[in-house]
PDB file of all heavy atoms in Angstrom:
ATOM      1  N   GLY W   1       2.716  22.450  11.437  1.00  0.00           N
ATOM      2  CA  GLY W   1       3.211  23.312  12.489  1.00  0.00           C
ATOM      3  C   GLY W   1       4.337  22.700  13.278  1.00  0.00           C
ATOM      4  O   GLY W   1       5.169  21.895  12.799  1.00  0.00           O
ATOM      5  N   VAL W   2       4.414  23.192  14.528  1.00  0.00           N
ATOM      6  CA  VAL W   2       5.526  22.958  15.446  1.00  0.00           C
ATOM      7  C   VAL W   2       4.962  22.112  16.628  1.00  0.00           C
ATOM      8  O   VAL W   2       3.733  22.151  16.905  1.00  0.00           O
ATOM      9  CB  VAL W   2       6.159  24.248  15.873  1.00  0.00           C
ATOM     10  CG1 VAL W   2       5.198  25.067  16.813  1.00  0.00           C
ATOM     11  CG2 VAL W   2       7.495  24.040  16.533  1.00  0.00           C
ATOM     12  N   ASP W   3       5.909  21.365  17.247  1.00  0.00           N
ATOM     13  CA  ASP W   3       5.458  20.668  18.507  1.00  0.00           C
ATOM     14  C   ASP W   3       6.138  21.414  19.673  1.00  0.00           C
ATOM     15  O   ASP W   3       6.841  22.359  19.554  1.00  0.00           O
ATOM     16  CB  ASP W   3       5.834  19.175  18.460  1.00  0.00           C
ATOM     17  CG  ASP W   3       7.329  18.910  18.445  1.00  0.00           C
ATOM     18  OD1 ASP W   3       8.171  19.854  18.763  1.00  0.00           O
ATOM     19  OD2 ASP W   3       7.693  17.761  18.186  1.00  0.00           O
ATOM     20  N   LYS W   4       5.910  20.856  20.877  1.00  0.00           N
ATOM     21  CA  LYS W   4       6.356  21.538  22.108  1.00  0.00           C
ATOM     22  C   LYS W   4       7.859  21.545  22.282  1.00  0.00           C
ATOM     23  O   LYS W   4       8.425  22.269  23.020  1.00  0.00           O
ATOM     24  CB  LYS W   4       5.718  20.830  23.336  1.00  0.00           C
ATOM     25  CG  LYS W   4       6.150  19.391  23.512  1.00  0.00           C
ATOM     26  CD  LYS W   4       5.428  18.745  24.706  1.00  0.00           C
ATOM     27  CE  LYS W   4       5.636  17.313  24.768  1.00  0.00           C
ATOM     28  NZ  LYS W   4       6.834  16.865  25.419  1.00  0.00           N
ATOM     29  N   ASN W   5       8.572  20.737  21.434  1.00  0.00           N
ATOM     30  CA  ASN W   5      10.042  20.701  21.447  1.00  0.00           C
ATOM     31  C   ASN W   5      10.687  21.548  20.392  1.00  0.00           C
ATOM     32  O   ASN W   5      11.916  21.547  20.268  1.00  0.00           O
ATOM     33  CB  ASN W   5      10.550  19.267  21.317  1.00  0.00           C
ATOM     34  CG  ASN W   5      10.098  18.427  22.461  1.00  0.00           C
ATOM     35  OD1 ASN W   5      10.127  18.840  23.621  1.00  0.00           O
ATOM     36  ND2 ASN W   5       9.569  17.236  22.160  1.00  0.00           N
ATOM     37  N   GLY W   6       9.852  22.222  19.565  1.00  0.00           N
ATOM     38  CA  GLY W   6      10.380  23.037  18.490  1.00  0.00           C
ATOM     39  C   GLY W   6      10.646  22.339  17.200  1.00  0.00           C
ATOM     40  O   GLY W   6      11.191  22.894  16.260  1.00  0.00           O
ATOM     41  N   ASN W   7      10.183  21.093  17.091  1.00  0.00           N
ATOM     42  CA  ASN W   7      10.283  20.310  15.862  1.00  0.00           C
ATOM     43  C   ASN W   7       9.157  20.668  14.937  1.00  0.00           C
ATOM     44  O   ASN W   7       7.992  20.676  15.368  1.00  0.00           O
ATOM     45  CB  ASN W   7      10.261  18.810  16.104  1.00  0.00           C
ATOM     46  CG  ASN W   7      11.410  18.360  16.967  1.00  0.00           C
ATOM     47  OD1 ASN W   7      12.578  18.672  16.677  1.00  0.00           O
ATOM     48  ND2 ASN W   7      11.078  17.720  18.099  1.00  0.00           N
ATOM     49  N   VAL W   8       9.483  20.995  13.642  1.00  0.00           N
ATOM     50  CA  VAL W   8       8.379  21.337  12.674  1.00  0.00           C
ATOM     51  C   VAL W   8       8.039  20.092  11.874  1.00  0.00           C
ATOM     52  O   VAL W   8       8.859  19.209  11.637  1.00  0.00           O
ATOM     53  CB  VAL W   8       8.741  22.495  11.835  1.00  0.00           C
ATOM     54  CG1 VAL W   8       8.917  23.769  12.601  1.00  0.00           C
ATOM     55  CG2 VAL W   8       9.957  22.242  10.975  1.00  0.00           C
ATOM     56  N   ALA W   9       6.814  20.048  11.357  1.00  0.00           N
ATOM     57  CA  ALA W   9       6.322  18.985  10.572  1.00  0.00           C
ATOM     58  C   ALA W   9       7.046  18.931   9.226  1.00  0.00           C
ATOM     59  O   ALA W   9       7.349  19.925   8.638  1.00  0.00           O
ATOM     60  CB  ALA W   9       4.813  19.152  10.331  1.00  0.00           C
ATOM     61  N   ASN W  10       7.323  17.740   8.781  1.00  0.00           N
ATOM     62  CA  ASN W  10       7.890  17.501   7.476  1.00  0.00           C
ATOM     63  C   ASN W  10       9.154  18.269   7.131  1.00  0.00           C
ATOM     64  O   ASN W  10       9.272  18.861   6.072  1.00  0.00           O
ATOM     65  CB  ASN W  10       6.800  17.641   6.422  1.00  0.00           C
ATOM     66  CG  ASN W  10       5.632  16.720   6.624  1.00  0.00           C
ATOM     67  OD1 ASN W  10       5.859  15.498   6.717  1.00  0.00           O
ATOM     68  ND2 ASN W  10       4.457  17.260   6.712  1.00  0.00           N
ATOM     69  N   TYR W  11      10.074  18.275   8.103  1.00  0.00           N
ATOM     70  CA  TYR W  11      11.314  19.086   7.981  1.00  0.00           C
ATOM     71  C   TYR W  11      12.308  18.239   7.140  1.00  0.00           C
ATOM     72  O   TYR W  11      12.485  17.135   7.301  1.00  0.00           O
ATOM     73  CB  TYR W  11      11.962  19.230   9.402  1.00  0.00           C
ATOM     74  CG  TYR W  11      13.196  20.016   9.385  1.00  0.00           C
ATOM     75  CD1 TYR W  11      13.226  21.380   9.427  1.00  0.00           C
ATOM     76  CD2 TYR W  11      14.440  19.343   9.414  1.00  0.00           C
ATOM     77  CE1 TYR W  11      14.394  22.132   9.425  1.00  0.00           C
ATOM     78  CE2 TYR W  11      15.645  19.993   9.424  1.00  0.00           C
ATOM     79  CZ  TYR W  11      15.629  21.396   9.463  1.00  0.00           C
ATOM     80  OH  TYR W  11      16.814  22.037   9.440  1.00  0.00           O
ATOM     81  N   VAL W  12      12.896  18.919   6.143  1.00  0.00           N
ATOM     82  CA  VAL W  12      13.872  18.328   5.258  1.00  0.00           C
ATOM     83  C   VAL W  12      15.058  19.229   5.119  1.00  0.00           C
ATOM     84  O   VAL W  12      14.963  20.447   4.909  1.00  0.00           O
ATOM     85  CB  VAL W  12      13.263  18.086   3.865  1.00  0.00           C
ATOM     86  CG1 VAL W  12      14.316  17.480   2.928  1.00  0.00           C
ATOM     87  CG2 VAL W  12      12.053  17.143   3.935  1.00  0.00           C
ATOM     88  N   GLU W  13      16.284  18.639   5.238  1.00  0.00           N
ATOM     89  CA  GLU W  13      17.514  19.351   4.978  1.00  0.00           C
ATOM     90  C   GLU W  13      18.049  18.784   3.643  1.00  0.00           C
ATOM     91  O   GLU W  13      18.279  17.629   3.548  1.00  0.00           O
ATOM     92  CB  GLU W  13      18.516  19.114   6.119  1.00  0.00           C
ATOM     93  CG  GLU W  13      19.849  19.737   5.847  1.00  0.00           C
ATOM     94  CD  GLU W  13      20.922  19.196   6.763  1.00  0.00           C
ATOM     95  OE1 GLU W  13      21.336  18.056   6.622  1.00  0.00           O
ATOM     96  OE2 GLU W  13      21.286  19.946   7.701  1.00  0.00           O
ATOM     97  N   THR W  14      18.316  19.749   2.723  1.00  0.00           N
ATOM     98  CA  THR W  14      18.927  19.338   1.383  1.00  0.00           C
ATOM     99  C   THR W  14      20.209  20.012   1.269  1.00  0.00           C
ATOM    100  O   THR W  14      20.311  21.244   1.351  1.00  0.00           O
ATOM    101  CB  THR W  14      17.954  19.681   0.229  1.00  0.00           C
ATOM    102  OG1 THR W  14      16.697  19.006   0.424  1.00  0.00           O
ATOM    103  CG2 THR W  14      18.525  19.302  -1.100  1.00  0.00           C
ATOM    104  N   GLU W  15      21.207  19.201   1.011  1.00  0.00           N
ATOM    105  CA  GLU W  15      22.583  19.730   0.778  1.00  0.00           C
ATOM    106  C   GLU W  15      23.018  19.456  -0.597  1.00  0.00           C
ATOM    107  O   GLU W  15      22.901  18.334  -1.159  1.00  0.00           O
ATOM    108  CB  GLU W  15      23.531  19.051   1.760  1.00  0.00           C
ATOM    109  CG  GLU W  15      24.915  19.562   1.680  1.00  0.00           C
ATOM    110  CD  GLU W  15      25.862  19.108   2.796  1.00  0.00           C
ATOM    111  OE1 GLU W  15      25.455  18.163   3.565  1.00  0.00           O
ATOM    112  OE2 GLU W  15      26.953  19.661   2.953  1.00  0.00           O
ATOM    113  N   GLN W  16      23.565  20.483  -1.269  1.00  0.00           N
ATOM    114  CA  GLN W  16      24.100  20.424  -2.587  1.00  0.00           C
ATOM    115  C   GLN W  16      25.606  20.534  -2.438  1.00  0.00           C
ATOM    116  O   GLN W  16      26.112  21.537  -1.895  1.00  0.00           O
ATOM    117  CB  GLN W  16      23.542  21.447  -3.509  1.00  0.00           C
ATOM    118  CG  GLN W  16      24.167  21.473  -4.900  1.00  0.00           C
ATOM    119  CD  GLN W  16      23.631  22.577  -5.757  1.00  0.00           C
ATOM    120  OE1 GLN W  16      22.534  23.134  -5.501  1.00  0.00           O
ATOM    121  NE2 GLN W  16      24.410  22.979  -6.724  1.00  0.00           N
ATOM    122  N   LEU W  17      26.314  19.524  -2.896  1.00  0.00           N
ATOM    123  CA  LEU W  17      27.809  19.558  -2.837  1.00  0.00           C
ATOM    124  C   LEU W  17      28.360  19.582  -4.233  1.00  0.00           C
ATOM    125  O   LEU W  17      27.920  18.844  -5.139  1.00  0.00           O
ATOM    126  CB  LEU W  17      28.387  18.317  -2.142  1.00  0.00           C
ATOM    127  CG  LEU W  17      27.973  18.184  -0.665  1.00  0.00           C
ATOM    128  CD1 LEU W  17      28.026  16.734  -0.272  1.00  0.00           C
ATOM    129  CD2 LEU W  17      28.919  19.025   0.188  1.00  0.00           C
ATOM    130  N   ILE W  18      29.370  20.477  -4.490  1.00  0.00           N
ATOM    131  CA  ILE W  18      30.034  20.470  -5.759  1.00  0.00           C
ATOM    132  C   ILE W  18      31.553  20.398  -5.450  1.00  0.00           C
ATOM    133  O   ILE W  18      32.086  21.180  -4.672  1.00  0.00           O
ATOM    134  CB  ILE W  18      29.770  21.849  -6.485  1.00  0.00           C
ATOM    135  CG1 ILE W  18      28.240  21.943  -6.778  1.00  0.00           C
ATOM    136  CG2 ILE W  18      30.585  21.968  -7.777  1.00  0.00           C
ATOM    137  CD1 ILE W  18      27.816  23.295  -7.320  1.00  0.00           C
ATOM    138  N   HIS W  19      32.184  19.428  -6.130  1.00  0.00           N
ATOM    139  CA  HIS W  19      33.581  19.207  -5.994  1.00  0.00           C
ATOM    140  C   HIS W  19      34.236  19.440  -7.367  1.00  0.00           C
ATOM    141  O   HIS W  19      33.923  18.807  -8.349  1.00  0.00           O
ATOM    142  CB  HIS W  19      33.901  17.798  -5.524  1.00  0.00           C
ATOM    143  CG  HIS W  19      35.308  17.557  -5.262  1.00  0.00           C
ATOM    144  ND1 HIS W  19      35.971  17.956  -4.175  1.00  0.00           N
ATOM    145  CD2 HIS W  19      36.209  16.912  -6.086  1.00  0.00           C
ATOM    146  CE1 HIS W  19      37.280  17.556  -4.253  1.00  0.00           C
ATOM    147  NE2 HIS W  19      37.413  16.971  -5.442  1.00  0.00           N
ATOM    148  N   VAL W  20      35.176  20.384  -7.412  1.00  0.00           N
ATOM    149  CA  VAL W  20      35.909  20.635  -8.618  1.00  0.00           C
ATOM    150  C   VAL W  20      37.319  21.226  -8.225  1.00  0.00           C
ATOM    151  O   VAL W  20      37.538  21.963  -7.352  1.00  0.00           O
ATOM    152  CB  VAL W  20      35.184  21.713  -9.519  1.00  0.00           C
ATOM    153  CG1 VAL W  20      35.042  23.043  -8.840  1.00  0.00           C
ATOM    154  CG2 VAL W  20      35.845  21.847 -10.907  1.00  0.00           C
ATOM    155  N   HIS W  21      38.322  20.715  -9.005  1.00  0.00           N
ATOM    156  CA  HIS W  21      39.732  21.122  -8.822  1.00  0.00           C
ATOM    157  C   HIS W  21      40.145  20.995  -7.348  1.00  0.00           C
ATOM    158  O   HIS W  21      40.673  21.985  -6.757  1.00  0.00           O
ATOM    159  CB  HIS W  21      39.988  22.560  -9.257  1.00  0.00           C
ATOM    160  CG  HIS W  21      39.834  22.709 -10.801  1.00  0.00           C
ATOM    161  ND1 HIS W  21      40.597  22.040 -11.747  1.00  0.00           N
ATOM    162  CD2 HIS W  21      38.901  23.440 -11.509  1.00  0.00           C
ATOM    163  CE1 HIS W  21      40.206  22.423 -12.905  1.00  0.00           C
ATOM    164  NE2 HIS W  21      39.197  23.238 -12.802  1.00  0.00           N
ATOM    165  N   ASN W  22      39.848  19.973  -6.650  1.00  0.00           N
ATOM    166  CA  ASN W  22      40.230  19.712  -5.220  1.00  0.00           C
ATOM    167  C   ASN W  22      39.568  20.742  -4.286  1.00  0.00           C
ATOM    168  O   ASN W  22      40.064  20.913  -3.200  1.00  0.00           O
ATOM    169  CB  ASN W  22      41.730  19.721  -5.081  1.00  0.00           C
ATOM    170  CG  ASN W  22      42.350  18.625  -5.804  1.00  0.00           C
ATOM    171  OD1 ASN W  22      41.805  17.479  -5.803  1.00  0.00           O
ATOM    172  ND2 ASN W  22      43.501  18.826  -6.365  1.00  0.00           N
ATOM    173  N   HIS W  23      38.466  21.371  -4.686  1.00  0.00           N
ATOM    174  CA  HIS W  23      37.720  22.240  -3.846  1.00  0.00           C
ATOM    175  C   HIS W  23      36.254  21.722  -3.701  1.00  0.00           C
ATOM    176  O   HIS W  23      35.705  21.288  -4.715  1.00  0.00           O
ATOM    177  CB  HIS W  23      37.622  23.676  -4.416  1.00  0.00           C
ATOM    178  CG  HIS W  23      38.948  24.327  -4.479  1.00  0.00           C
ATOM    179  ND1 HIS W  23      39.609  24.822  -3.408  1.00  0.00           N
ATOM    180  CD2 HIS W  23      39.781  24.569  -5.604  1.00  0.00           C
ATOM    181  CE1 HIS W  23      40.752  25.374  -3.784  1.00  0.00           C
ATOM    182  NE2 HIS W  23      40.854  25.227  -5.045  1.00  0.00           N
ATOM    183  N   THR W  24      35.712  21.708  -2.525  1.00  0.00           N
ATOM    184  CA  THR W  24      34.334  21.297  -2.298  1.00  0.00           C
ATOM    185  C   THR W  24      33.570  22.382  -1.750  1.00  0.00           C
ATOM    186  O   THR W  24      33.955  23.086  -0.794  1.00  0.00           O
ATOM    187  CB  THR W  24      34.276  20.107  -1.363  1.00  0.00           C
ATOM    188  OG1 THR W  24      35.081  18.997  -1.860  1.00  0.00           O
ATOM    189  CG2 THR W  24      32.867  19.578  -1.213  1.00  0.00           C
ATOM    190  N   LEU W  25      32.381  22.665  -2.390  1.00  0.00           N
ATOM    191  CA  LEU W  25      31.496  23.737  -1.966  1.00  0.00           C
ATOM    192  C   LEU W  25      30.206  23.023  -1.494  1.00  0.00           C
ATOM    193  O   LEU W  25      29.823  22.099  -2.075  1.00  0.00           O
ATOM    194  CB  LEU W  25      31.167  24.678  -3.144  1.00  0.00           C
ATOM    195  CG  LEU W  25      32.379  25.291  -3.787  1.00  0.00           C
ATOM    196  CD1 LEU W  25      31.956  25.883  -5.144  1.00  0.00           C
ATOM    197  CD2 LEU W  25      32.955  26.372  -2.917  1.00  0.00           C
ATOM    198  N   SER W  26      29.582  23.633  -0.511  1.00  0.00           N
ATOM    199  CA  SER W  26      28.295  23.129   0.022  1.00  0.00           C
ATOM    200  C   SER W  26      27.308  24.195   0.185  1.00  0.00           C
ATOM    201  O   SER W  26      27.615  25.292   0.677  1.00  0.00           O
ATOM    202  CB  SER W  26      28.613  22.493   1.360  1.00  0.00           C
ATOM    203  OG  SER W  26      27.371  22.108   2.054  1.00  0.00           O
ATOM    204  N   PHE W  27      26.092  23.863  -0.185  1.00  0.00           N
ATOM    205  CA  PHE W  27      24.953  24.794   0.027  1.00  0.00           C
ATOM    206  C   PHE W  27      23.852  24.013   0.654  1.00  0.00           C
ATOM    207  O   PHE W  27      23.473  22.922   0.100  1.00  0.00           O
ATOM    208  CB  PHE W  27      24.479  25.444  -1.319  1.00  0.00           C
ATOM    209  CG  PHE W  27      23.305  26.303  -1.175  1.00  0.00           C
ATOM    210  CD1 PHE W  27      23.437  27.585  -0.695  1.00  0.00           C
ATOM    211  CD2 PHE W  27      22.020  25.884  -1.481  1.00  0.00           C
ATOM    212  CE1 PHE W  27      22.342  28.421  -0.484  1.00  0.00           C
ATOM    213  CE2 PHE W  27      20.922  26.685  -1.271  1.00  0.00           C
ATOM    214  CZ  PHE W  27      21.077  27.933  -0.805  1.00  0.00           C
ATOM    215  N   ILE W  28      23.356  24.412   1.782  1.00  0.00           N
ATOM    216  CA  ILE W  28      22.312  23.765   2.511  1.00  0.00           C
ATOM    217  C   ILE W  28      21.073  24.578   2.541  1.00  0.00           C
ATOM    218  O   ILE W  28      21.086  25.818   2.834  1.00  0.00           O
ATOM    219  CB  ILE W  28      22.756  23.398   3.949  1.00  0.00           C
ATOM    220  CG1 ILE W  28      23.958  22.517   3.916  1.00  0.00           C
ATOM    221  CG2 ILE W  28      21.630  22.766   4.713  1.00  0.00           C
ATOM    222  CD1 ILE W  28      24.531  22.134   5.223  1.00  0.00           C
ATOM    223  N   GLN W  29      19.963  23.865   2.214  1.00  0.00           N
ATOM    224  CA  GLN W  29      18.605  24.516   2.273  1.00  0.00           C
ATOM    225  C   GLN W  29      17.763  23.655   3.168  1.00  0.00           C
ATOM    226  O   GLN W  29      17.778  22.451   3.039  1.00  0.00           O
ATOM    227  CB  GLN W  29      18.056  24.584   0.846  1.00  0.00           C
ATOM    228  CG  GLN W  29      16.637  25.031   0.793  1.00  0.00           C
ATOM    229  CD  GLN W  29      16.195  25.146  -0.654  1.00  0.00           C
ATOM    230  OE1 GLN W  29      16.929  25.492  -1.574  1.00  0.00           O
ATOM    231  NE2 GLN W  29      14.955  24.632  -0.895  1.00  0.00           N
ATOM    232  N   THR W  30      17.033  24.238   4.069  1.00  0.00           N
ATOM    233  CA  THR W  30      16.102  23.494   4.880  1.00  0.00           C
ATOM    234  C   THR W  30      14.617  23.942   4.564  1.00  0.00           C
ATOM    235  O   THR W  30      14.438  25.059   4.104  1.00  0.00           O
ATOM    236  CB  THR W  30      16.323  23.687   6.412  1.00  0.00           C
ATOM    237  OG1 THR W  30      16.168  25.054   6.730  1.00  0.00           O
ATOM    238  CG2 THR W  30      17.749  23.188   6.770  1.00  0.00           C
ATOM    239  N   ARG W  31      13.728  23.059   4.774  1.00  0.00           N
ATOM    240  CA  ARG W  31      12.290  23.439   4.584  1.00  0.00           C
ATOM    241  C   ARG W  31      11.481  22.632   5.683  1.00  0.00           C
ATOM    242  O   ARG W  31      11.948  21.599   6.091  1.00  0.00           O
ATOM    243  CB  ARG W  31      11.852  23.111   3.223  1.00  0.00           C
ATOM    244  CG  ARG W  31      11.704  21.579   2.948  1.00  0.00           C
ATOM    245  CD  ARG W  31      10.742  21.225   1.845  1.00  0.00           C
ATOM    246  NE  ARG W  31       9.375  21.655   2.024  1.00  0.00           N
ATOM    247  CZ  ARG W  31       8.434  21.130   2.711  1.00  0.00           C
ATOM    248  NH1 ARG W  31       8.682  20.035   3.396  1.00  0.00           N
ATOM    249  NH2 ARG W  31       7.194  21.647   2.735  1.00  0.00           N
ATOM    250  N   GLY W  32      10.386  23.231   6.006  1.00  0.00           N
ATOM    251  CA  GLY W  32       9.498  22.576   6.936  1.00  0.00           C
ATOM    252  C   GLY W  32       8.224  23.440   7.121  1.00  0.00           C
ATOM    253  O   GLY W  32       8.091  24.517   6.518  1.00  0.00           O
ATOM    254  N   SER W  33       7.357  22.911   7.911  1.00  0.00           N
ATOM    255  CA  SER W  33       6.110  23.595   8.153  1.00  0.00           C
ATOM    256  C   SER W  33       6.393  24.891   8.907  1.00  0.00           C
ATOM    257  O   SER W  33       7.350  25.015   9.628  1.00  0.00           O
ATOM    258  CB  SER W  33       5.211  22.643   8.979  1.00  0.00           C
ATOM    259  OG  SER W  33       3.897  23.164   9.088  1.00  0.00           O
ATOM    260  N   VAL W  34       5.477  25.843   8.737  1.00  0.00           N
ATOM    261  CA  VAL W  34       5.557  27.098   9.518  1.00  0.00           C
ATOM    262  C   VAL W  34       5.609  26.769  11.021  1.00  0.00           C
ATOM    263  O   VAL W  34       4.704  26.088  11.515  1.00  0.00           O
ATOM    264  CB  VAL W  34       4.322  28.036   9.177  1.00  0.00           C
ATOM    265  CG1 VAL W  34       4.394  29.266  10.066  1.00  0.00           C
ATOM    266  CG2 VAL W  34       4.449  28.431   7.742  1.00  0.00           C
ATOM    267  N   PRO W  35       6.625  27.289  11.817  1.00  0.00           N
ATOM    268  CA  PRO W  35       6.797  26.947  13.193  1.00  0.00           C
ATOM    269  C   PRO W  35       5.900  27.635  14.183  1.00  0.00           C
ATOM    270  O   PRO W  35       6.345  28.291  15.089  1.00  0.00           O
ATOM    271  CB  PRO W  35       8.295  27.183  13.383  1.00  0.00           C
ATOM    272  CG  PRO W  35       8.614  28.281  12.470  1.00  0.00           C
ATOM    273  CD  PRO W  35       7.732  28.064  11.278  1.00  0.00           C
ATOM    274  N   VAL W  36       4.605  27.525  13.936  1.00  0.00           N
ATOM    275  CA  VAL W  36       3.582  27.908  14.917  1.00  0.00           C
ATOM    276  C   VAL W  36       2.609  26.773  15.053  1.00  0.00           C
ATOM    277  O   VAL W  36       2.609  25.822  14.291  1.00  0.00           O
ATOM    278  CB  VAL W  36       2.818  29.221  14.486  1.00  0.00           C
ATOM    279  CG1 VAL W  36       3.780  30.369  14.321  1.00  0.00           C
ATOM    280  CG2 VAL W  36       2.058  28.980  13.197  1.00  0.00           C
ATOM    281  N   PHE W  37       1.769  26.808  16.070  1.00  0.00           N
ATOM    282  CA  PHE W  37       0.812  25.721  16.275  1.00  0.00           C
ATOM    283  C   PHE W  37      -0.373  25.967  15.359  1.00  0.00           C
ATOM    284  O   PHE W  37      -1.203  26.879  15.580  1.00  0.00           O
ATOM    285  CB  PHE W  37       0.421  25.706  17.766  1.00  0.00           C
ATOM    286  CG  PHE W  37       1.414  25.170  18.707  1.00  0.00           C
ATOM    287  CD1 PHE W  37       2.213  26.107  19.413  1.00  0.00           C
ATOM    288  CD2 PHE W  37       1.681  23.851  18.805  1.00  0.00           C
ATOM    289  CE1 PHE W  37       3.165  25.615  20.260  1.00  0.00           C
ATOM    290  CE2 PHE W  37       2.632  23.386  19.613  1.00  0.00           C
ATOM    291  CZ  PHE W  37       3.417  24.296  20.387  1.00  0.00           C
ATOM    292  N   TRP W  38      -0.449  25.149  14.321  1.00  0.00           N
ATOM    293  CA  TRP W  38      -1.585  25.238  13.405  1.00  0.00           C
ATOM    294  C   TRP W  38      -1.889  23.938  12.815  1.00  0.00           C
ATOM    295  O   TRP W  38      -1.151  22.996  12.890  1.00  0.00           O
ATOM    296  CB  TRP W  38      -1.265  26.256  12.303  1.00  0.00           C
ATOM    297  CG  TRP W  38      -0.203  25.975  11.313  1.00  0.00           C
ATOM    298  CD1 TRP W  38       1.131  25.949  11.553  1.00  0.00           C
ATOM    299  CD2 TRP W  38      -0.403  25.464   9.975  1.00  0.00           C
ATOM    300  NE1 TRP W  38       1.774  25.537  10.373  1.00  0.00           N
ATOM    301  CE2 TRP W  38       0.902  25.314   9.478  1.00  0.00           C
ATOM    302  CE3 TRP W  38      -1.494  25.250   9.194  1.00  0.00           C
ATOM    303  CZ2 TRP W  38       1.103  24.808   8.122  1.00  0.00           C
ATOM    304  CZ3 TRP W  38      -1.269  24.838   7.863  1.00  0.00           C
ATOM    305  CH2 TRP W  38      -0.019  24.643   7.352  1.00  0.00           C
ATOM    306  N   SER W  39      -3.120  23.770  12.227  1.00  0.00           N
ATOM    307  CA  SER W  39      -3.494  22.556  11.671  1.00  0.00           C
ATOM    308  C   SER W  39      -4.493  22.827  10.490  1.00  0.00           C
ATOM    309  O   SER W  39      -4.953  23.932  10.303  1.00  0.00           O
ATOM    310  CB  SER W  39      -4.191  21.667  12.743  1.00  0.00           C
ATOM    311  OG  SER W  39      -5.280  22.366  13.244  1.00  0.00           O
ATOM    312  N   GLN W  40      -4.811  21.747   9.829  1.00  0.00           N
ATOM    313  CA  GLN W  40      -5.819  21.766   8.769  1.00  0.00           C
ATOM    314  C   GLN W  40      -6.661  20.537   8.985  1.00  0.00           C
ATOM    315  O   GLN W  40      -6.161  19.411   8.959  1.00  0.00           O
ATOM    316  CB  GLN W  40      -5.217  21.776   7.381  1.00  0.00           C
ATOM    317  CG  GLN W  40      -4.641  23.051   7.030  1.00  0.00           C
ATOM    318  CD  GLN W  40      -3.948  23.045   5.608  1.00  0.00           C
ATOM    319  OE1 GLN W  40      -3.007  22.352   5.475  1.00  0.00           O
ATOM    320  NE2 GLN W  40      -4.478  23.838   4.694  1.00  0.00           N
ATOM    321  N   ILE W  41      -7.947  20.711   9.120  1.00  0.00           N
ATOM    322  CA  ILE W  41      -8.833  19.636   9.425  1.00  0.00           C
ATOM    323  C   ILE W  41      -9.641  19.216   8.183  1.00  0.00           C
ATOM    324  O   ILE W  41     -10.063  20.135   7.451  1.00  0.00           O
ATOM    325  CB  ILE W  41      -9.882  20.043  10.536  1.00  0.00           C
ATOM    326  CG1 ILE W  41      -9.136  20.527  11.803  1.00  0.00           C
ATOM    327  CG2 ILE W  41     -10.864  18.882  10.900  1.00  0.00           C
ATOM    328  CD1 ILE W  41      -8.208  19.464  12.381  1.00  0.00           C
ATOM    329  N   GLY W  42      -9.739  17.959   7.966  1.00  0.00           N
ATOM    330  CA  GLY W  42     -10.525  17.485   6.851  1.00  0.00           C
ATOM    331  C   GLY W  42      -9.660  16.977   5.741  1.00  0.00           C
ATOM    332  O   GLY W  42      -8.450  17.183   5.725  1.00  0.00           O
TER     333      GLY W  42
END
């Protein structure tokens, strides 16, 4: 879940860069826990 500052658990930003013929392209994907207050016990 999320904390009181809006940070989500296990957040990862992945960027894919491709450079060809003097051009650079970027694609960014982020992932993280659902940003609500939740947990799993056990």
